[in-house]
Coordinates of all heavy atoms in Angstrom, one line a residue:
P1182 N 0.8 -1.2 0.0 CA 0.0 0.0 0.0 C 0.9 1.3 0.0 O 1.8 1.4 0.8 CB -0.8 -0.1 1.3 CG -0.8 -1.6 1.6 CD 0.5 -2.1 1.1
G1183 N 0.6 2.2 -0.9 CA 1.3 3.4 -1.0 C 2.3 3.4 -2.2 O 2.7 4.5 -2.6
I1184 N 2.8 2.3 -2.6 CA 3.8 2.2 -3.7 C 3.0 1.9 -5.0 O 2.4 0.8 -5.1 CB 4.8 1.1 -3.4 CG1 5.7 1.5 -2.1 CG2 5.8 0.9 -4.6 CD1 6.8 0.6 -1.8
G1185 N 3.1 2.8 -5.9 CA 2.5 2.7 -7.2 C 3.5 2.2 -8.3 O 4.7 1.9 -7.9
L1186 N 3.1 2.3 -9.5 CA 3.9 1.8 -10.6 C 5.2 2.6 -10.8 O 6.3 2.1 -10.9 CB 3.1 1.8 -11.9 CG 3.9 1.4 -13.2 CD1 4.4 -0.1 -13.0 CD2 3.0 1.5 -14.4
H1187 N 5.0 3.9 -10.7 CA 6.2 4.8 -10.9 C 7.2 4.7 -9.8 O 8.4 4.7 -10.0 CB 5.7 6.2 -11.1 CG 4.9 6.4 -12.3 ND1 3.5 6.6 -12.2 CD2 5.1 6.5 -13.6 CE1 3.0 6.7 -13.4 NE2 4.0 6.7 -14.3
T1188 N 6.7 4.6 -8.6 CA 7.6 4.5 -7.4 C 8.3 3.1 -7.5 O 9.6 3.0 -7.2 CB 6.8 4.6 -6.1 OG1 6.1 5.8 -6.1 CG2 7.8 4.5 -4.9
A1189 N 7.6 2.1 -7.8 CA 8.2 0.7 -8.0 C 9.3 0.7 -9.1 O 10.4 0.2 -8.9 CB 7.1 -0.3 -8.3
L1190 N 9.0 1.3 -10.2 CA 10.0 1.4 -11.3 C 11.2 2.2 -10.9 O 12.4 1.8 -11.2 CB 9.3 2.0 -12.6 CG 8.4 1.2 -13.3 CD1 7.6 2.0 -14.3 CD2 9.1 0.0 -14.0
A1191 N 11.0 3.3 -10.2 CA 12.2 4.1 -9.7 C 13.0 3.3 -8.7 O 14.3 3.3 -8.8 CB 11.7 5.4 -9.1
L1192 N 12.4 2.6 -7.8 CA 13.1 1.8 -6.9 C 14.0 0.7 -7.5 O 15.2 0.5 -7.2 CB 12.2 1.1 -5.8 CG 11.7 2.0 -4.8 CD1 10.5 1.3 -4.0 CD2 12.8 2.4 -3.8
V1193 N 13.4 0.0 -8.5 CA 14.1 -1.1 -9.2 C 15.3 -0.5 -10.1 O 16.4 -1.0 -10.1 CB 13.1 -1.8 -10.1 CG1 13.9 -2.9 -11.0 CG2 12.1 -2.6 -9.3
C1194 N 15.0 0.6 -10.8 CA 16.0 1.2 -11.7 C 17.2 1.8 -10.9 O 18.4 1.6 -11.3 CB 15.4 2.3 -12.6 SG 14.3 1.6 -13.8
Y1195 N 16.9 2.6 -9.9 CA 18.0 3.3 -9.2 C 18.8 2.4 -8.2 O 19.9 2.7 -7.8 CB 17.4 4.4 -8.4 CG 17.1 5.6 -9.3 CD1 15.8 5.9 -9.7 CD2 18.1 6.5 -9.7 CE1 15.6 7.0 -10.5 CE2 17.9 7.6 -10.5 CZ 16.6 7.8 -10.9 OH 16.3 8.9 -11.7
T1196 N 18.2 1.2 -7.9 CA 19.0 0.3 -7.0 C 19.5 -0.9 -7.8 O 20.1 -1.8 -7.2 CB 18.1 -0.3 -5.9 OG1 16.9 -1.0 -6.5 CG2 17.6 0.9 -5.0
N1197 N 19.4 -0.9 -9.1 CA 19.9 -2.0 -10.0 C 19.4 -3.3 -9.5 O 20.1 -4.2 -9.1 CB 21.4 -1.9 -10.0 CG 22.0 -2.8 -11.1 OD1 21.3 -3.3 -12.0 ND2 23.3 -3.1 -11.0
Y1198 N 18.1 -3.5 -9.5 CA 17.4 -4.7 -9.1 C 17.7 -5.0 -7.6 O 17.8 -6.1 -7.2 CB 17.8 -5.9 -9.9 CG 17.5 -5.8 -11.4 CD1 18.5 -5.8 -12.3 CD2 16.2 -5.9 -11.8 CE1 18.2 -5.7 -13.7 CE2 15.9 -5.8 -13.2 CZ 16.9 -5.8 -14.1 OH 16.6 -5.7 -15.4
F1199 N 17.8 -3.9 -6.8 CA 18.1 -4.0 -5.4 C 19.4 -4.7 -5.1 O 19.5 -5.4 -4.1 CB 16.9 -4.8 -4.7 CG 15.6 -3.9 -4.5 CD1 14.8 -3.8 -5.6 CD2 15.4 -3.3 -3.3 CE1 13.6 -3.0 -5.5 CE2 14.2 -2.5 -3.2 CZ 13.4 -2.4 -4.2
T1200 N 20.4 -4.5 -5.9 CA 21.7 -5.1 -5.7 C 22.7 -4.1 -5.1 O 23.7 -4.5 -4.5 CB 22.3 -5.7 -7.0 OG1 22.3 -4.6 -8.0 CG2 21.4 -6.8 -7.5
T1201 N 22.5 -2.8 -5.3 CA 23.4 -1.8 -4.7 C 23.3 -1.7 -3.2 O 24.2 -1.2 -2.6 CB 23.2 -0.5 -5.4 OG1 21.8 -0.1 -5.3 CG2 23.5 -0.5 -6.9
C1202 N 22.2 -2.1 -2.7 CA 21.9 -2.0 -1.2 C 21.7 -3.4 -0.7 O 20.7 -4.1 -1.2 CB 20.8 -1.1 -0.9 SG 21.0 0.6 -1.5
S1203 N 22.5 -3.9 0.2 CA 22.4 -5.3 0.7 C 21.4 -5.5 1.8 O 20.9 -6.6 2.1 CB 23.7 -5.8 1.1 OG 24.2 -5.0 2.2
N1204 N 21.0 -4.4 2.4 CA 20.0 -4.5 3.5 C 19.1 -3.2 3.5 O 19.4 -2.2 2.9 CB 20.6 -4.7 4.9 CG 21.7 -3.7 5.2 OD1 21.4 -2.5 5.3 ND2 22.9 -4.1 5.3
S1205 N 18.0 -3.3 4.4 CA 17.1 -2.2 4.4 C 17.7 -0.9 5.0 O 17.3 0.2 4.6 CB 15.9 -2.6 5.3 OG 16.3 -3.0 6.6
G1206 N 18.7 -1.0 5.9 CA 19.4 0.2 6.4 C 20.1 0.9 5.3 O 20.0 2.2 5.3
Q1207 N 20.8 0.2 4.5 CA 21.5 0.9 3.4 C 20.5 1.6 2.4 O 20.8 2.7 1.9 CB 22.4 -0.1 2.7 CG 23.6 -0.6 3.4 CD 24.5 -1.6 2.7 OE1 24.2 -1.9 1.5 NE2 25.5 -2.1 3.3
L1208 N 19.4 0.8 2.2 CA 18.4 1.4 1.2 C 17.8 2.6 1.8 O 17.5 3.6 1.1 CB 17.4 0.3 0.9 CG 16.3 0.7 -0.1 CD1 16.8 1.1 -1.4 CD2 15.3 -0.4 -0.3
A1209 N 17.5 2.6 3.1 CA 16.9 3.8 3.8 C 17.9 5.0 3.7 O 17.4 6.1 3.5 CB 16.5 3.4 5.2
S1210 N 19.1 4.7 3.9 CA 20.1 5.8 3.9 C 20.2 6.3 2.5 O 20.3 7.5 2.2 CB 21.5 5.2 4.3 OG 22.5 6.2 4.1
Y1211 N 20.1 5.4 1.5 CA 20.2 5.9 0.0 C 19.0 6.7 -0.4 O 19.1 7.6 -1.2 CB 20.4 4.6 -0.8 CG 20.5 4.9 -2.3 CD1 21.5 5.6 -2.8 CD2 19.5 4.4 -3.2 CE1 21.6 5.9 -4.2 CE2 19.6 4.7 -4.5 CZ 20.6 5.4 -5.0 OH 20.7 5.6 -6.4
C1212 N 17.9 6.4 0.2 CA 16.6 7.1 -0.1 C 16.4 8.3 0.7 O 15.4 9.0 0.5 CB 15.4 6.1 0.1 SG 15.4 4.7 -1.1
G1213 N 17.3 8.6 1.7 CA 17.2 9.8 2.5 C 16.1 9.6 3.6 O 15.5 10.6 4.0
C1214 N 15.9 8.4 4.1 CA 14.9 8.2 5.2 C 15.6 7.8 6.5 O 14.8 7.7 7.5 CB 13.9 7.1 4.7 SG 12.9 7.5 3.3
A1215 N 16.8 7.5 6.5 CA 17.5 7.1 7.7 C 18.1 8.2 8.5 O 19.0 9.0 7.9 CB 18.6 6.0 7.4
P1216 N 17.8 8.4 9.7 CA 18.4 9.5 10.5 C 19.8 9.1 11.0 O 20.0 7.9 11.3 CB 17.4 9.7 11.7 CG 16.7 8.4 11.8 CD 16.7 7.8 10.5
F1217 N 20.7 10.1 11.2 CA 22.0 9.8 11.7 C 22.2 10.7 12.9 O 21.8 11.9 12.9 CB 23.1 10.2 10.7 CG 23.1 9.2 9.5 CD1 22.3 9.4 8.4 CD2 23.8 8.1 9.5 CE1 22.3 8.6 7.3 CE2 23.9 7.2 8.4 CZ 23.1 7.4 7.3
S1218 N 22.8 10.2 13.9 CA 23.0 10.9 15.2 C 24.3 11.8 15.1 O 25.3 11.4 14.6 CB 23.2 9.9 16.3 OG 23.4 10.6 17.5
Y1219 N 24.1 13.0 15.6 CA 25.2 14.0 15.7 C 25.4 14.5 17.1 O 24.4 15.0 17.7 CB 24.9 15.2 14.8 CG 24.9 14.8 13.3 CD1 23.7 14.4 12.7 CD2 26.0 14.9 12.5 CE1 23.7 14.0 11.3 CE2 26.0 14.6 11.1 CZ 24.8 14.2 10.6 OH 24.8 13.8 9.3
S1220 N 26.5 14.2 17.7 CA 26.8 14.7 19.1 C 28.3 15.1 19.2 O 29.2 14.6 18.4 CB 26.5 13.6 20.1 OG 27.3 12.4 19.8
S1221 N 28.6 15.9 20.1 CA 29.9 16.4 20.4 C 30.1 16.9 21.8 O 29.3 17.8 22.2 CB 30.3 17.5 19.4 OG 31.7 17.9 19.6
G1222 N 31.0 16.3 22.6 CA 31.2 16.7 23.9 C 29.9 16.7 24.8 O 29.2 15.6 24.9
L1223 N 29.6 17.8 25.4 CA 28.4 17.9 26.3 C 27.2 18.2 25.5 O 26.1 18.2 26.2 CB 28.7 19.0 27.4 CG 29.9 18.7 28.3 CD1 30.0 19.9 29.3 CD2 29.6 17.4 29.1
K1224 N 27.3 18.4 24.3 CA 26.1 18.7 23.4 C 25.2 17.5 23.3 O 25.7 16.4 23.1 CB 26.5 19.2 22.1 CG 25.4 19.7 21.2 CD 25.9 20.2 19.8 CE 24.7 20.6 18.9 NZ 25.2 21.1 17.6
A1225 N 23.9 17.7 23.5 CA 23.0 16.6 23.5 C 22.9 16.1 22.1 O 22.9 16.8 21.1 CB 21.6 17.1 23.9

């Protein structure tokens, strides 16, 4: 649900049949959906 034909085609084409990303974490990072933690010293 939510994924249509154009989104499915884009996912297949840009990931080369899902071979460029070996797991969901890499795919989420590639798609810009994975948050990354930034901290330094006493800064939260």
Side-chain angles (χ1 to χ4, degrees):
I1184 295 183
L1186 177 60
H1187 298 103
T1188 304
L1190 286 169
L1192 282 168
V1193 173
C1194 291
Y1195 282 98
T1196 60
N1197 193 14
Y1198 298 114
F1199 285 81
T1200 58
T1201 55
C1202 302
S1203 59
N1204 55 61
S1205 56
Q1207 291 180 2
L1208 181 59
S1210 176
Y1211 180 62
C1212 296
C1214 296
F1217 292 89
S1218 178
Y1219 294 87
S1220 62
S1221 178
L1223 299 176
K1224 185 179 179 181

